[in-house]
Amino acid sequence: MAHIALYRKYRPKTFSEVIGQKVVVESLKYQVSSGKIGHAFLFTGTRGTGKTSCAKIFAKAINCQHNHNGEPCLECDVCKGIENESVYDVTEMDAASNNSVEDIRDILSEVMYLPVMAKYKVYIIDEVHMLSTAAFNALLKTLEEPPAHVVFILATTELHKVPATILSRCQRYDFNKLSIEEIGEALMYIADCEDIQLSLSAAKTIASLADGAMRDATSILDTCLSRGNVITDDTVADVVGISKQEEILHLADCIITKDLAGALQQILLLEQKSVDIKRLCEELITHFRNLLLANLPKSTYQLLNVSEEKFEAIKKQAETTNFVFIQTALTHFTNAFDSIAKGQNPKISLDIAIYNLCNTQIMPVAVQPAVQAAPVQNVQQTPAGQVAAPQEEEKPVPFAQWFDTIDIVGTIDGEKPLYSLLKGSHAYLYKNVVYIEGHEALNDYLRGNKNAAAVVKGAIEKACGKKHNIGGYKNIADKFAPKKTDELAEILSLRNSGVEVTIKD
């Protein structure tokens, strides 16, 4: 018997089996149970979050001969026919490969005919953003005046590419990324059903790698099964090509203690084991971010989305360094990752980042020089409580917790407009004020909405444990802009000192 991929075998067949999309599921079930069926739907969200699965479940539910509380029965001829694709009243089309106006016209030529077996003709168009402009225009006419027996379900991972004219004629449902806990729990359920010995730590590692997509998680699990039915953290690391926890900890130890030779040797060993350097750089960014979070008061393993054992190891290492060094490390590794993404040599980019870190003047806590008795200005306290190096604050520095601040705003009910405006912005810390650099729409929103400003300040305090005022970066940008060179004065100065200067047209 041919092997069935896990993501296909465990694809949800009813709404109750859908993971993590409660709002969407409840809304669709209500339409089915109430009989108030819309004619056009738009499902949007990242890959592997259940858009197409929900579309097929909805198609079964609205056509099911015995649906119960909005759920398809899976037993009637229509449900079985839609499941095995023998009912031609439900059509699924991939717009990535069928995106021409002719493809849409083929569909539109059929919509006027009544369904044969089902109550509704359902057209599921996946990756709808790939349709050509002419194809969208052809589809628009039918969406404006659809026959009563036709339902369109459009799915997309890139909402911004769908024309506003199409959006305005559809009921929109947003599919969120699944949490590590949701994916991990689902993987443990699959493992139990398939008699797989999957450790909880390995399940969480797979869930983290899947980045919110259940389909990716089950595919990784399937790949790991090529090594046998016992799957541990080491199995996942070997199969996927990521570093093991102890390897990352050792590399971070070398960087913190400024052991350049040891750090470069560790990278070489990882490279020989086929660890992807770009992914290693991403892992280091995650690890140093975790060090930052582990140093926060009352930090927990849930905050870091790791196991309790991993959290204890990370927390122990976090106590050997300070906020300033971690912030510097994050900056260097982020720059290296950006360079790799732009096509630079991955090994060289990462080596340079580590070389710079091992030669920086910022010292880890364990070897921090003693503070002299002479008065020192602006001595700051780190999250872990140690005294960090004096900060002169001669110019604005990147605010390390800004992206955490944005994430916190994104979790607050009713603040989606503010969250959307904050995404892509940057922030700088100067004299206890967080100066925000973003587009003018964000500045106008904050200036005209006192509640929004209060929300941002509250999120900043939650992210870093300290209160800060906020301001617009453009208000202080000119103060720190490079001074313009007076070319004429330089030329005269050179000539007066005996240097022959020739001015070319």
Side-chain angles (χ1 to χ4, degrees), residues 128-179:
V128 71
H129 63 273
M130 298 289 285
L131 290 180
S132 67
T133 302
F136 270 127
N137 289 337
L139 180 61
L140 181 62
K141 180 65 175 174
T142 301
L143 290 182
E144 285 177 335
E145 301 172 3
H149 60 269
V150 173
V151 174
F152 282 94
I153 305 176
L154 317 179
T156 180
T157 54
E158 299 186 45
L159 182 66
H160 61 282
K161 293 184 179 180
V162 180
T165 49
I166 298 291
L167 294 176
S168 65
R169 288 161 176 82
C170 298
Q171 293 183 28
R172 171 179 161 181
Y173 291 93
D174 291 344
F175 286 69
N176 300 318
K177 281 186 176 183
L178 305 181
S179 69

Short mmCIF file of all heavy atoms in Angstrom, two decimals, residues 128-179:
data_model
loop_
_atom_site.label_atom_id
_atom_site.label_comp_id
_atom_site.label_asym_id
_atom_site.label_seq_id
_atom_site.Cartn_x
_atom_site.Cartn_y
_atom_site.Cartn_z
N VAL A 128 -5.36 33.26 -5.54
CA VAL A 128 -6.12 34.09 -6.47
C VAL A 128 -5.35 35.35 -6.88
O VAL A 128 -5.60 35.93 -7.95
CB VAL A 128 -7.49 34.46 -5.86
CG1 VAL A 128 -7.34 35.46 -4.72
CG2 VAL A 128 -8.44 35.00 -6.92
N HIS A 129 -4.40 35.79 -6.05
CA HIS A 129 -3.64 37.00 -6.38
C HIS A 129 -2.80 36.83 -7.64
O HIS A 129 -2.31 37.81 -8.20
CB HIS A 129 -2.71 37.38 -5.21
CG HIS A 129 -1.68 36.35 -4.90
ND1 HIS A 129 -1.92 35.31 -4.04
CD2 HIS A 129 -0.41 36.20 -5.33
CE1 HIS A 129 -0.84 34.55 -3.96
NE2 HIS A 129 0.10 35.07 -4.74
N MET A 130 -2.64 35.58 -8.12
CA MET A 130 -1.84 35.32 -9.31
C MET A 130 -2.62 35.57 -10.61
O MET A 130 -2.03 35.53 -11.70
CB MET A 130 -1.34 33.87 -9.30
CG MET A 130 -0.43 33.53 -8.12
SD MET A 130 1.18 34.32 -8.24
CE MET A 130 1.94 33.31 -9.51
N LEU A 131 -3.92 35.82 -10.51
CA LEU A 131 -4.71 36.07 -11.72
C LEU A 131 -4.22 37.34 -12.42
O LEU A 131 -3.80 38.31 -11.78
CB LEU A 131 -6.19 36.23 -11.38
CG LEU A 131 -6.96 34.98 -10.93
CD1 LEU A 131 -8.41 35.34 -10.63
CD2 LEU A 131 -6.88 33.87 -11.96
N SER A 132 -4.32 37.34 -13.73
CA SER A 132 -3.96 38.53 -14.50
C SER A 132 -5.02 39.61 -14.32
O SER A 132 -6.14 39.33 -13.84
CB SER A 132 -3.84 38.17 -15.98
OG SER A 132 -5.12 37.81 -16.50
N THR A 133 -4.68 40.82 -14.71
CA THR A 133 -5.64 41.93 -14.59
C THR A 133 -6.91 41.64 -15.39
O THR A 133 -8.03 41.87 -14.91
CB THR A 133 -4.99 43.23 -15.08
OG1 THR A 133 -3.82 43.49 -14.31
CG2 THR A 133 -5.95 44.40 -14.94
N ALA A 134 -6.72 41.11 -16.60
CA ALA A 134 -7.88 40.78 -17.44
C ALA A 134 -8.74 39.70 -16.80
O ALA A 134 -9.98 39.74 -16.86
CB ALA A 134 -7.41 40.34 -18.82
N ALA A 135 -8.09 38.73 -16.15
CA ALA A 135 -8.83 37.65 -15.49
C ALA A 135 -9.64 38.19 -14.31
O ALA A 135 -10.79 37.80 -14.09
CB ALA A 135 -7.87 36.56 -15.02
N PHE A 136 -9.02 39.09 -13.53
CA PHE A 136 -9.75 39.72 -12.41
C PHE A 136 -10.97 40.49 -12.92
O PHE A 136 -12.05 40.44 -12.34
CB PHE A 136 -8.82 40.66 -11.64
CG PHE A 136 -8.08 40.01 -10.51
CD1 PHE A 136 -6.71 40.10 -10.42
CD2 PHE A 136 -8.76 39.30 -9.54
CE1 PHE A 136 -6.02 39.51 -9.38
CE2 PHE A 136 -8.09 38.71 -8.49
CZ PHE A 136 -6.71 38.80 -8.41
N ASN A 137 -10.78 41.23 -14.02
CA ASN A 137 -11.89 42.01 -14.59
C ASN A 137 -13.03 41.10 -15.05
O ASN A 137 -14.21 41.44 -14.89
CB ASN A 137 -11.38 42.86 -15.76
CG ASN A 137 -10.50 44.00 -15.29
OD1 ASN A 137 -10.59 44.42 -14.13
ND2 ASN A 137 -9.64 44.49 -16.16
N ALA A 138 -12.67 39.95 -15.62
CA ALA A 138 -13.69 39.01 -16.06
C ALA A 138 -14.45 38.41 -14.87
O ALA A 138 -15.67 38.22 -14.91
CB ALA A 138 -13.04 37.89 -16.88
N LEU A 139 -13.71 38.15 -13.79
CA LEU A 139 -14.32 37.58 -12.59
C LEU A 139 -15.23 38.59 -11.89
O LEU A 139 -16.25 38.22 -11.30
CB LEU A 139 -13.22 37.11 -11.64
CG LEU A 139 -13.64 36.48 -10.31
CD1 LEU A 139 -14.46 35.21 -10.55
CD2 LEU A 139 -12.41 36.17 -9.47
N LEU A 140 -14.84 39.86 -11.96
CA LEU A 140 -15.56 40.91 -11.25
C LEU A 140 -17.03 40.97 -11.64
O LEU A 140 -17.91 41.14 -10.79
CB LEU A 140 -14.88 42.26 -11.50
CG LEU A 140 -15.50 43.47 -10.81
CD1 LEU A 140 -15.43 43.30 -9.29
CD2 LEU A 140 -14.78 44.74 -11.24
N LYS A 141 -17.32 40.83 -12.91
CA LYS A 141 -18.70 40.95 -13.40
C LYS A 141 -19.60 39.91 -12.74
O LYS A 141 -20.72 40.22 -12.30
CB LYS A 141 -18.72 40.77 -14.93
CG LYS A 141 -20.10 40.87 -15.55
CD LYS A 141 -20.70 42.26 -15.40
CE LYS A 141 -22.03 42.34 -16.13
NZ LYS A 141 -22.70 43.65 -15.89
N THR A 142 -19.10 38.68 -12.62
CA THR A 142 -19.91 37.62 -12.00
C THR A 142 -20.04 37.82 -10.50
O THR A 142 -21.08 37.51 -9.91
CB THR A 142 -19.28 36.24 -12.31
OG1 THR A 142 -19.23 36.06 -13.72
CG2 THR A 142 -20.10 35.12 -11.71
N LEU A 143 -18.99 38.33 -9.85
CA LEU A 143 -19.07 38.59 -8.42
C LEU A 143 -20.09 39.69 -8.11
O LEU A 143 -20.69 39.70 -7.03
CB LEU A 143 -17.69 39.00 -7.87
CG LEU A 143 -16.62 37.92 -7.81
CD1 LEU A 143 -15.35 38.48 -7.20
CD2 LEU A 143 -17.10 36.73 -7.00
N GLU A 144 -20.28 40.60 -9.05
CA GLU A 144 -21.26 41.68 -8.86
C GLU A 144 -22.69 41.15 -8.95
O GLU A 144 -23.56 41.56 -8.19
CB GLU A 144 -21.05 42.77 -9.91
CG GLU A 144 -19.82 43.64 -9.66
CD GLU A 144 -19.61 44.64 -10.77
OE1 GLU A 144 -20.08 44.38 -11.91
OE2 GLU A 144 -18.98 45.68 -10.52
N GLU A 145 -22.94 40.25 -9.91
CA GLU A 145 -24.29 39.74 -10.13
C GLU A 145 -24.25 38.21 -10.24
O GLU A 145 -24.45 37.63 -11.31
CB GLU A 145 -24.88 40.33 -11.42
CG GLU A 145 -24.95 41.85 -11.40
CD GLU A 145 -25.35 42.41 -12.75
OE1 GLU A 145 -25.63 41.61 -13.66
OE2 GLU A 145 -25.39 43.64 -12.90
N PRO A 146 -23.99 37.52 -9.12
CA PRO A 146 -23.84 36.06 -9.17
C PRO A 146 -25.19 35.34 -9.22
O PRO A 146 -26.16 35.80 -8.63
CB PRO A 146 -23.11 35.75 -7.86
CG PRO A 146 -23.61 36.82 -6.93
CD PRO A 146 -23.81 38.05 -7.76
N PRO A 147 -25.25 34.21 -9.88
CA PRO A 147 -26.46 33.38 -9.81
C PRO A 147 -26.64 32.89 -8.38
O PRO A 147 -25.66 32.71 -7.64
CB PRO A 147 -26.15 32.22 -10.77
CG PRO A 147 -25.06 32.74 -11.65
CD PRO A 147 -24.25 33.68 -10.82
N ALA A 148 -27.86 32.62 -7.97
CA ALA A 148 -28.15 32.25 -6.57
C ALA A 148 -27.53 30.91 -6.19
O ALA A 148 -27.33 30.63 -5.00
CB ALA A 148 -29.65 32.20 -6.36
N HIS A 149 -27.23 30.06 -7.18
CA HIS A 149 -26.73 28.71 -6.89
C HIS A 149 -25.20 28.63 -6.93
O HIS A 149 -24.64 27.52 -6.87
CB HIS A 149 -27.32 27.70 -7.89
CG HIS A 149 -26.96 28.02 -9.31
ND1 HIS A 149 -27.75 28.82 -10.12
CD2 HIS A 149 -25.90 27.67 -10.07
CE1 HIS A 149 -27.19 28.93 -11.31
NE2 HIS A 149 -26.06 28.24 -11.31
N VAL A 150 -24.50 29.76 -7.01
CA VAL A 150 -23.04 29.76 -7.15
C VAL A 150 -22.37 30.41 -5.93
O VAL A 150 -22.83 31.45 -5.45
CB VAL A 150 -22.60 30.50 -8.44
CG1 VAL A 150 -21.07 30.64 -8.49
CG2 VAL A 150 -23.10 29.75 -9.66
N VAL A 151 -21.31 29.78 -5.44
CA VAL A 151 -20.50 30.33 -4.35
C VAL A 151 -19.04 30.33 -4.79
O VAL A 151 -18.53 29.30 -5.25
CB VAL A 151 -20.65 29.50 -3.05
CG1 VAL A 151 -19.68 30.00 -1.98
CG2 VAL A 151 -22.09 29.57 -2.53
N PHE A 152 -18.39 31.48 -4.67
CA PHE A 152 -16.96 31.59 -4.96
C PHE A 152 -16.18 31.68 -3.65
O PHE A 152 -16.55 32.45 -2.75
CB PHE A 152 -16.66 32.84 -5.79
CG PHE A 152 -17.00 32.71 -7.24
CD1 PHE A 152 -18.23 33.12 -7.73
CD2 PHE A 152 -16.08 32.16 -8.13
CE1 PHE A 152 -18.54 33.01 -9.07
CE2 PHE A 152 -16.38 32.02 -9.47
CZ PHE A 152 -17.62 32.45 -9.95
N ILE A 153 -15.11 30.90 -3.53
CA ILE A 153 -14.20 31.00 -2.39
C ILE A 153 -12.80 31.26 -2.93
O ILE A 153 -12.21 30.40 -3.60
CB ILE A 153 -14.20 29.72 -1.53
CG1 ILE A 153 -15.63 29.36 -1.09
CG2 ILE A 153 -13.30 29.91 -0.31
CD1 ILE A 153 -15.72 28.05 -0.32
N LEU A 154 -12.31 32.46 -2.69
CA LEU A 154 -10.98 32.86 -3.16
C LEU A 154 -10.00 32.76 -2.00
O LEU A 154 -10.29 33.21 -0.90
CB LEU A 154 -11.01 34.29 -3.70
CG LEU A 154 -12.20 34.68 -4.59
CD1 LEU A 154 -12.08 36.13 -5.03
CD2 LEU A 154 -12.29 33.75 -5.80
N ALA A 155 -8.84 32.17 -2.25
CA ALA A 155 -7.82 32.04 -1.20
C ALA A 155 -6.53 32.69 -1.67
O ALA A 155 -6.15 32.58 -2.85
CB ALA A 155 -7.58 30.57 -0.88
N THR A 156 -5.85 33.38 -0.75
CA THR A 156 -4.61 34.08 -1.12
C THR A 156 -3.65 34.19 0.06
O THR A 156 -4.08 34.28 1.20
CB THR A 156 -4.91 35.49 -1.67
OG1 THR A 156 -3.66 36.14 -2.01
CG2 THR A 156 -5.62 36.35 -0.63
N THR A 157 -2.37 34.16 -0.26
CA THR A 157 -1.33 34.43 0.74
C THR A 157 -0.81 35.86 0.62
O THR A 157 -0.03 36.30 1.45
CB THR A 157 -0.14 33.46 0.57
OG1 THR A 157 0.33 33.53 -0.79
CG2 THR A 157 -0.54 32.03 0.88
N GLU A 158 -1.25 36.57 -0.41
CA GLU A 158 -0.76 37.93 -0.64
C GLU A 158 -1.95 38.85 -0.92
O GLU A 158 -2.24 39.20 -2.06
CB GLU A 158 0.25 37.97 -1.79
CG GLU A 158 1.49 37.12 -1.52
CD GLU A 158 2.56 37.28 -2.59
OE1 GLU A 158 2.83 38.44 -2.99
OE2 GLU A 158 3.10 36.25 -3.03
N LEU A 159 -2.60 39.24 0.15
CA LEU A 159 -3.84 40.02 0.06
C LEU A 159 -3.65 41.34 -0.69
O LEU A 159 -4.53 41.78 -1.42
CB LEU A 159 -4.37 40.29 1.47
CG LEU A 159 -5.69 41.05 1.58
CD1 LEU A 159 -6.83 40.24 1.01
CD2 LEU A 159 -5.97 41.42 3.03
N HIS A 160 -2.48 41.96 -0.50
CA HIS A 160 -2.25 43.28 -1.10
C HIS A 160 -2.25 43.25 -2.63
O HIS A 160 -2.35 44.30 -3.27
CB HIS A 160 -0.92 43.85 -0.60
CG HIS A 160 0.28 43.01 -0.95
ND1 HIS A 160 0.59 41.86 -0.25
CD2 HIS A 160 1.22 43.14 -1.91
CE1 HIS A 160 1.69 41.33 -0.78
NE2 HIS A 160 2.08 42.07 -1.78
N LYS A 161 -2.14 42.05 -3.22
CA LYS A 161 -2.14 41.95 -4.68
C LYS A 161 -3.54 41.73 -5.25
O LYS A 161 -3.70 41.66 -6.47
CB LYS A 161 -1.21 40.80 -5.11
CG LYS A 161 0.26 41.07 -4.83
CD LYS A 161 1.13 39.95 -5.37
CE LYS A 161 2.61 40.23 -5.11
NZ LYS A 161 3.47 39.13 -5.62
N VAL A 162 -4.53 41.61 -4.38
CA VAL A 162 -5.91 41.42 -4.85
C VAL A 162 -6.54 42.79 -5.03
O VAL A 162 -6.53 43.61 -4.10
CB VAL A 162 -6.72 40.58 -3.84
CG1 VAL A 162 -8.16 40.39 -4.33
CG2 VAL A 162 -6.06 39.23 -3.61
N PRO A 163 -7.11 43.08 -6.20
CA PRO A 163 -7.70 44.40 -6.44
C PRO A 163 -8.80 44.75 -5.43
O PRO A 163 -9.54 43.87 -4.99
CB PRO A 163 -8.28 44.28 -7.86
CG PRO A 163 -7.52 43.17 -8.50
CD PRO A 163 -7.19 42.22 -7.39
N ALA A 164 -8.88 46.03 -5.12
CA ALA A 164 -9.89 46.50 -4.16
C ALA A 164 -11.31 46.22 -4.64
O ALA A 164 -12.22 45.98 -3.84
CB ALA A 164 -9.71 48.00 -3.91
N THR A 165 -11.50 46.22 -5.95
CA THR A 165 -12.84 45.95 -6.50
C THR A 165 -13.29 44.52 -6.18
O THR A 165 -14.48 44.27 -5.98
CB THR A 165 -12.84 46.15 -8.03
OG1 THR A 165 -11.72 45.44 -8.60
CG2 THR A 165 -12.73 47.62 -8.38
N ILE A 166 -12.33 43.60 -6.13
CA ILE A 166 -12.64 42.21 -5.78
C ILE A 166 -12.89 42.10 -4.27
O ILE A 166 -13.85 41.47 -3.80
CB ILE A 166 -11.51 41.26 -6.20
CG1 ILE A 166 -11.31 41.28 -7.72
CG2 ILE A 166 -11.76 39.84 -5.69
CD1 ILE A 166 -12.43 40.66 -8.51
N LEU A 167 -12.01 42.74 -3.50
CA LEU A 167 -12.12 42.69 -2.04
C LEU A 167 -13.47 43.19 -1.55
O LEU A 167 -14.06 42.63 -0.62
CB LEU A 167 -11.01 43.54 -1.39
CG LEU A 167 -9.57 43.08 -1.57
CD1 LEU A 167 -8.62 44.10 -0.94
CD2 LEU A 167 -9.35 41.72 -0.94
N SER A 168 -13.96 44.25 -2.18
CA SER A 168 -15.20 44.89 -1.72
C SER A 168 -16.43 44.02 -1.95
O SER A 168 -17.49 44.28 -1.40
CB SER A 168 -15.38 46.24 -2.41
OG SER A 168 -15.56 46.07 -3.81
N ARG A 169 -16.28 42.99 -2.76
CA ARG A 169 -17.44 42.14 -3.08
C ARG A 169 -17.37 40.78 -2.40
O ARG A 169 -18.16 39.89 -2.70
CB ARG A 169 -17.54 41.97 -4.60
CG ARG A 169 -18.01 43.26 -5.28
CD ARG A 169 -17.69 43.29 -6.76
NE ARG A 169 -18.24 44.50 -7.38
CZ ARG A 169 -17.66 45.69 -7.35
NH1 ARG A 169 -16.51 45.85 -6.70
NH2 ARG A 169 -18.22 46.73 -7.94
N CYS A 170 -16.41 40.62 -1.50
CA CYS A 170 -16.24 39.33 -0.81
C CYS A 170 -16.33 39.49 0.70
O CYS A 170 -15.98 40.54 1.25
CB CYS A 170 -14.87 38.73 -1.15
SG CYS A 170 -14.59 38.36 -2.88
N GLN A 171 -16.79 38.44 1.37
CA GLN A 171 -16.66 38.36 2.82
C GLN A 171 -15.24 37.90 3.12
O GLN A 171 -14.81 36.85 2.66
CB GLN A 171 -17.65 37.35 3.40
CG GLN A 171 -19.10 37.73 3.28
CD GLN A 171 -20.00 36.71 3.96
OE1 GLN A 171 -19.60 36.04 4.89
NE2 GLN A 171 -21.22 36.59 3.45
N ARG A 172 -14.51 38.71 3.89
CA ARG A 172 -13.09 38.40 4.14
C ARG A 172 -12.90 37.69 5.49
O ARG A 172 -13.44 38.10 6.50
CB ARG A 172 -12.28 39.70 4.13
CG ARG A 172 -10.84 39.54 4.57
CD ARG A 172 -10.10 40.86 4.52
NE ARG A 172 -8.90 40.84 5.33
CZ ARG A 172 -8.06 41.88 5.47
NH1 ARG A 172 -8.34 43.00 4.83
NH2 ARG A 172 -7.00 41.78 6.23
N TYR A 173 -12.10 36.62 5.46
CA TYR A 173 -11.75 35.89 6.68
C TYR A 173 -10.23 35.76 6.77
O TYR A 173 -9.59 35.27 5.83
CB TYR A 173 -12.41 34.50 6.69
CG TYR A 173 -13.90 34.57 6.85
CD1 TYR A 173 -14.74 34.57 5.73
CD2 TYR A 173 -14.49 34.64 8.11
CE1 TYR A 173 -16.12 34.64 5.87
CE2 TYR A 173 -15.87 34.71 8.26
CZ TYR A 173 -16.67 34.71 7.13
OH TYR A 173 -18.04 34.79 7.28
N ASP A 174 -9.67 36.22 7.89
CA ASP A 174 -8.22 36.18 8.09
C ASP A 174 -7.83 34.91 8.86
O ASP A 174 -8.34 34.66 9.95
CB ASP A 174 -7.75 37.40 8.88
CG ASP A 174 -7.88 38.68 8.08
OD1 ASP A 174 -8.02 38.59 6.85
OD2 ASP A 174 -7.84 39.77 8.67
N PHE A 175 -6.92 34.15 8.29
CA PHE A 175 -6.40 32.94 8.93
C PHE A 175 -5.06 33.26 9.58
O PHE A 175 -4.11 33.66 8.91
CB PHE A 175 -6.23 31.82 7.90
CG PHE A 175 -7.52 31.19 7.45
CD1 PHE A 175 -8.43 31.91 6.68
CD2 PHE A 175 -7.84 29.90 7.82
CE1 PHE A 175 -9.63 31.34 6.27
CE2 PHE A 175 -9.04 29.32 7.43
CZ PHE A 175 -9.94 30.04 6.65
N ASN A 176 -5.02 33.10 10.91
CA ASN A 176 -3.81 33.45 11.66
C ASN A 176 -2.80 32.31 11.65
O ASN A 176 -3.15 31.14 11.51
CB ASN A 176 -4.17 33.78 13.11
CG ASN A 176 -5.13 34.94 13.21
OD1 ASN A 176 -5.00 35.94 12.51
ND2 ASN A 176 -6.13 34.81 14.07
N LYS A 177 -1.53 32.68 11.85
CA LYS A 177 -0.50 31.67 12.06
C LYS A 177 -0.82 30.88 13.33
O LYS A 177 -1.30 31.45 14.31
CB LYS A 177 0.88 32.33 12.23
CG LYS A 177 1.53 32.78 10.93
CD LYS A 177 2.93 33.27 11.22
CE LYS A 177 3.67 33.63 9.94
NZ LYS A 177 5.07 34.04 10.21
N LEU A 178 -0.55 29.61 13.30
CA LEU A 178 -0.78 28.78 14.47
C LEU A 178 0.36 28.96 15.48
O LEU A 178 1.51 29.18 15.08
CB LEU A 178 -0.89 27.31 14.07
CG LEU A 178 -1.95 26.98 13.00
CD1 LEU A 178 -1.96 25.49 12.73
CD2 LEU A 178 -3.32 27.45 13.42
N SER A 179 0.04 28.87 16.75
CA SER A 179 1.06 29.01 17.79
C SER A 179 1.87 27.72 17.89
O SER A 179 1.46 26.65 17.43
CB SER A 179 0.41 29.31 19.14
OG SER A 179 -0.30 28.18 19.61
#
